[in-house]
Amino acid sequence: MRLIALRRDLHGRVVSTKVEFVKTFEDYAAFIQKYRYTHDVYNQLATNRGKENGTKTTQRQRKVLYLDFDQKDFPDLHDASDFTKWIHNKLPKLYLHACVASGHGFHFYVSIKPTCKLNEVWDLNKELVSILNADPQAASPTQISRPPCTYNHKQADGSYDYENRDNWAYVKMVNNSYMVGSKFKQFDLSYIRRQMDYFTETQETAKILDKVDWNYEALDDYPCYLCIQKVMNEGADEGQRNFWHGRIVKMLQMDGYTKSKIHTLCQEYNTKCRPPKDKKVIEEDTNRFLDTDYKLLGCYESFPEGDKHRAWIQDQCDKAYCGTYHNGAKLSLGKADAARINKKILLNKDLRTMTGNEYLIITLLDVYKDSFGRRGFRVRNLKELLYSSVKKKQCIADRLLKTLLLELEAKKWIEMIPDPKQPKKFQECRLKLARRLKEFQQGYIEFYFSIAGALIDGKITQAEYIVFITLVRNLSNGKSVTYDQLADDLNMDKHNIRKYIKKLHTERCLIVKKEYSDKGFEYNKYIFVSPESFKDEFTNDDIPVNTDDVVIQMNNELEIELLA
């Protein structure tokens, strides 16, 4: 155990330091007896490796959590009993093993099972101090404390006096449960953690219940999926709770929220529902929505007339404030498989330098990553998927395909693993998305997989595929989708952007509808569709736009009004 004795001058500057390392209680008591009159004596909370100077790296084992309350910071609390009540009002099951009156406040100790995982102890102690408003400096990894039977020579005005004994404060034990023999119990850190988590959850719930109706009209930005954000803040009625729960999870997942944060937000949403569900049910439902493709995300126009879901969404819809409605309603992906691309590979610098074929490969790898069993997805499987039944040939030649795969590997977007039995056969290499593309911390975009088929069959070009995924990305991020914006994002000519979008519309990769704002400005509304299912849903007379004039350039003033 590292012991320290400090003597200070009148103004608190250290003028003498004595340090000793002891292994027995007898040596411990002797050090205190020797220096307690002439110095302020402290012991290090953690044991020390050898006789080095008590830094983080030399500490070995810790057996306590430590709280330091300064009396002057709590004028309404007068004694140890008051401070104990203060602690138990927040953490009623936190057992306090010992309390020491330090002279100007109180120190509390919680005994934990001896551990050398000091980082975990330090982090937990810091959170505990924050919850209880104790002295944050006392949560330092190298914290020292005053042992009982010493003297605190610090005066009320902050000066130090080592001459007049009547002015010294005696450091004394108020409570000591270490002395109860067989009843003494040390706690696991997980036990303390559960109590703290429960307190935090209770506090968050109290804040939620105090909230008033969400004033979405006062938002500074122009949010996407305004209907979902409204329901998140205001709750849903019985009968609609599960529907909105799924939409909330899907929106948060696409925006890159972590699973733990999504769980927290869903529990908050549940507390505002009428009535709330059981917390365990919400946890189970959230996991189910996270692990499966939920198909009911979209504007109310995504649902047929008479569908109850359409009515529910329309009741929450406010077109004047919703970025999703004005920038383009996203249809639910209910009639075809969805493809996803991680937003990490959709930065402007990537979109400007990568080809449509490279993004096509990334798309196919995501869709088919689990479709080839134990042998995995191989180059030869990719070649089969790149074959066009329309053109009767592979859309990417073998030599170019090898070049593209090697470039994607060099950029660390994919991994290529040679077959151990046939290491020289390139087509037997196993293909995998790189780990950073499997994790969705930044979110992803989602669209009909059949769009990839349009590129494979030559119905759209690589440039048009790039424009399509950029359009989806901007809509997903609530970003402007004007021709000027897309041209700037992709470093392309604005007139080419117009041409590419018109081609995407012609091939039924998206629908472009002419809409008008409340102020009368024209703008485009993009609706994503599946080229494969489009012909089954519409006859030529049903196409909702004039094919001779499918794209209306968004007025600059409108862009400022709606998207700034």
Side-chain angles (χ1 to χ4, degrees):
M1 175 67 71
R2 178 171 172 262
L3 298 175
I4 310 100
L6 301 176
R7 185 180 177 92
R8 298 176 172 88
D9 64 15
L10 180 65
H11 304 292
R13 292 184 291 265
V14 176
V15 295
S16 174
T17 302
K18 306 294 183 182
V19 177
E20 193 167 318
F21 296 86
V22 302
K23 292 185 177 181
T24 67
F25 179 75
E26 288 74 19
D27 291 339
Y28 182 93
F31 183 91
I32 291 175
Q33 185 65 33
K34 181 177 180 180
Y35 291 108
R36 63 178 181 159
Y37 299 107
T38 56
H39 294 69
D40 285 271
V41 178
Y42 306 88
N43 57 233
Q44 184 173 283
L45 290 178
T47 56
N48 209 65
R49 273 191 194 87
K51 296 185 178 182
E52 298 183 48
N53 284 332
T55 61
K56 289 174 63 174
T57 56
T58 64
Q59 294 186 38
R60 181 179 178 276
Q61 189 181 82
R62 183 95 169 249
K63 298 181 180 181
V64 296
L65 300 177
Y66 175 70
L67 300 166
D68 181 3
F69 294 93
D70 197 325
Q71 185 76 63
K72 71 177 186 301
D73 295 331
F74 297 87
D76 296 331
L77 306 182
H78 305 293
D79 54 27
S81 177
D82 289 344
F83 279 95
T84 300
K85 291 177 182 177
W86 165 266
I87 294 170
H88 284 159
N89 280 337
K90 292 177 178 267
L91 300 172
K93 294 184 179 181
L94 182 66
Y95 189 82
L96 303 172
H97 289 83
C99 175
V100 173
S102 65
H104 300 292
F106 296 92
H107 299 167
F108 288 88
Y109 296 83
V110 177
S111 182
I112 59 175
K113 292 180 179 179
T115 178
C116 295
K117 296 179 180 179
L118 294 180
N119 284 321
E120 188 176 351
V121 176
W122 296 331
D123 290 342
L124 193 70
N125 207 145
K126 186 176 180 180
E127 288 185 50
L128 186 63
V129 163
S130 177
I131 288 174
L132 297 172
N133 296 335
D135 184 355
Q137 294 183 352
S140 166
T142 55
Q143 182 60 35
I144 54 179
S145 66
R146 295 179 184 271
C149 305
T150 61
Y151 291 99
N152 187 338
H153 299 89
K154 186 177 182 179
Q155 306 303 300
D157 61 1
S159 64
Y160 281 80
D161 178 5
Y162 294 95
E163 303 299 329
N164 303 301
R165 186 167 178 172
D166 292 340
N167 294 334
W168 303 347
Y170 187 63
V171 181
K172 61 183 179 180
M173 183 70 71
V174 177
N175 174 58
N176 183 6
S177 297
Y178 287 86
M179 306 296 291
V180 295
S182 61
K183 294 183 180 180
F184 170 68
K185 181 180 180 180
Q186 298 169 300
F187 293 110
D188 291 318
L189 293 181
S190 58
Y191 172 78
I192 309 294
R193 164 63 64 190
R194 287 196 298 273
Q195 294 187 58
M196 292 165 57
D197 287 346
Y198 179 77
F199 170 80
T200 302
E201 182 181 339
T202 303
Q203 291 295 104
E204 291 177 349
T205 301
K207 291 179 181 178
I208 292 166
L209 295 176
D210 288 340
K211 288 182 180 177
V212 297
D213 289 347
W214 190 45
N215 182 18
Y216 62 91
E217 295 185 11
L219 291 174
D220 294 330
D221 54 3
Y222 191 57
C224 284
Y225 284 121
L226 176 65
C227 59
I228 299 177
Q229 297 194 42
K230 280 181 63 182
V231 174
M232 277 183 67
N233 283 271
E234 296 175 357
D237 293 318
E238 187 173 9
Q240 297 188 25
R241 295 172 298 178
N242 209 48
F243 170 75
W244 287 107
H245 186 184
R247 286 172 66 85
I248 289 168
V249 171
K250 187 66 172 179
M251 181 188 74
L252 296 175
Q253 195 175 26
M254 291 178 68
D255 286 343
Y257 283 73
T258 63
K259 287 188 176 182
S260 60
K261 185 62 175 178
I262 291 174
H263 272 281
T264 298
L265 292 174
C266 287
Q267 291 290 356
E268 290 181 7
Y269 154 74
N270 181 53
T271 63
K272 290 169 278 192
C273 287
R274 299 166 292 274
K277 290 185 176 182
D278 183 85
K279 290 183 179 180
K280 187 175 181 180
V281 172
I282 291 297
E283 181 180 354
E284 292 172 350
D285 286 346
T286 302
N287 284 327
R288 176 165 53 85
F289 290 131
L290 284 168
D291 295 338
T292 58
D293 289 329
Y294 188 70
K295 304 298 186 182
L296 295 177
L297 188 68
C299 284
Y300 67 84
E301 294 171 334
S302 304
F303 303 87
E305 292 282 356
D307 189 321
K308 62 181 180 181
H309 302 118
R310 181 185 180 105
W312 293 347
I313 300 171
Q314 200 161 8
D315 286 344
Q316 300 291 341
C317 183
D318 194 329
K319 300 175 184 178
Y321 295 96
C322 182
T324 299
Y325 185 87
H326 279 293
N327 266 354
K330 301 172 187 175
L331 282 178
S332 298
L333 301 176
K335 295 189 176 181
D337 290 330
R340 296 185 302 184
I341 298 180
N342 196 311
K343 287 183 181 178
K344 290 179 183 176
I345 199 173
L346 295 175
L347 302 178
N348 285 350
K349 64 181 179 67
D350 301 312
L351 290 162
R352 292 174 180 178
T353 57
M354 289 179 62
T355 66
N357 281 338
E358 286 178 302
Y359 278 110
L360 175 61
I361 291 170
I362 295 294
T363 304
L364 291 170
L365 275 175
D366 179 78
V367 172
Y368 288 100
K369 59 181 178 292
D370 299 321
S371 300
F372 290 90
R374 293 169 58 186
R375 286 184 56 79
F377 187 14
R378 310 243 169 177
V379 173
R380 58 179 169 80
N381 302 130
L382 177 62
K383 290 172 60 177
E384 293 169 0
L385 295 171
L386 292 171
Y387 179 80
S388 169
S389 59
V390 174
K391 291 197 165 186
K392 306 299 181 185
K393 66 176 184 178
Q394 196 174 294
C395 72
I396 304 176
D398 287 353
R399 183 177 296 180
L400 176 58
L401 179 60
K402 183 174 182 179
T403 300
L404 293 177
L405 289 173
L406 291 173
E407 287 178 356
L408 288 171
E409 183 184 38
K411 294 175 182 177
K412 297 184 179 179
W413 295 122
I414 69 170
E415 297 176 13
M416 289 198 296
I417 306 167
D419 187 299
K421 295 181 180 180
Q422 306 175 78
K424 294 184 179 180
K425 285 193 174 182
F426 185 76
Q427 68 173 5
E428 292 299 325
C429 285
R430 186 175 178 179
L431 299 176
K432 295 170 58 179
L433 287 174
R435 181 177 177 181
R436 56 180 175 154
L437 290 189
K438 293 179 182 178
E439 299 171 345
F440 293 108
Q441 296 96 333
Q442 295 177 14
Y444 58 87
I445 64 170
E446 189 173 40
F447 51 90
Y448 284 107
F449 174 55
S450 54
I451 307 301
L455 176 57
I456 293 171
D457 289 336
K459 295 179 180 179
I460 61 174
T461 66
Q462 294 186 63
E464 288 155 3
Y465 194 63
I466 294 284
V467 170
F468 178 86
I469 61 179
T470 306
L471 184 64
V472 178
R473 181 204 66 173
N474 283 14
L475 293 175
S476 175
N477 292 341
K479 187 178 179 182
S480 171
V481 290
T482 61
Y483 294 148
D484 287 330
Q485 182 65 59
L486 294 171
D488 182 64
D489 290 343
L490 296 173
N491 197 24
M492 290 182 179
D493 184 86
K494 181 172 69 173
H495 299 291
N496 284 335
I497 296 291
R498 177 189 179 106
K499 179 179 68 175
Y500 296 149
I501 289 181
K502 185 172 182 178
K503 180 65 177 304
L504 288 166
H505 166 79
T506 302
E507 295 300 334
R508 306 297 182 254
C509 297
L510 53 80
I511 297 173
V512 186
K513 296 182 68 175
K514 184 190 300 184
E515 293 275 341
Y516 296 90
S517 74
D518 294 340
K519 295 184 179 181
F521 294 117
E522 292 180 350
Y523 62 90
N524 282 353
K525 183 171 184 181
Y526 298 106
I527 301 177
F528 300 112
V529 296
S530 166
E532 296 301 319
S533 60
F534 187 92
K535 58 189 177 184
D536 299 326
E537 296 189 30
F538 298 100
T539 65
N540 288 336
D541 294 334
D542 291 329
I543 297 175
V545 290
N546 181 345
T547 56
D548 294 329
D549 185 21
V550 296
V551 179
I552 306 298
Q553 173 63 35
M554 183 181 281
N555 183 291
N556 287 336
E557 185 175 352
L558 173 67
E559 180 185 356
I560 295 171
E561 289 287 329
L562 297 180
L563 301 176

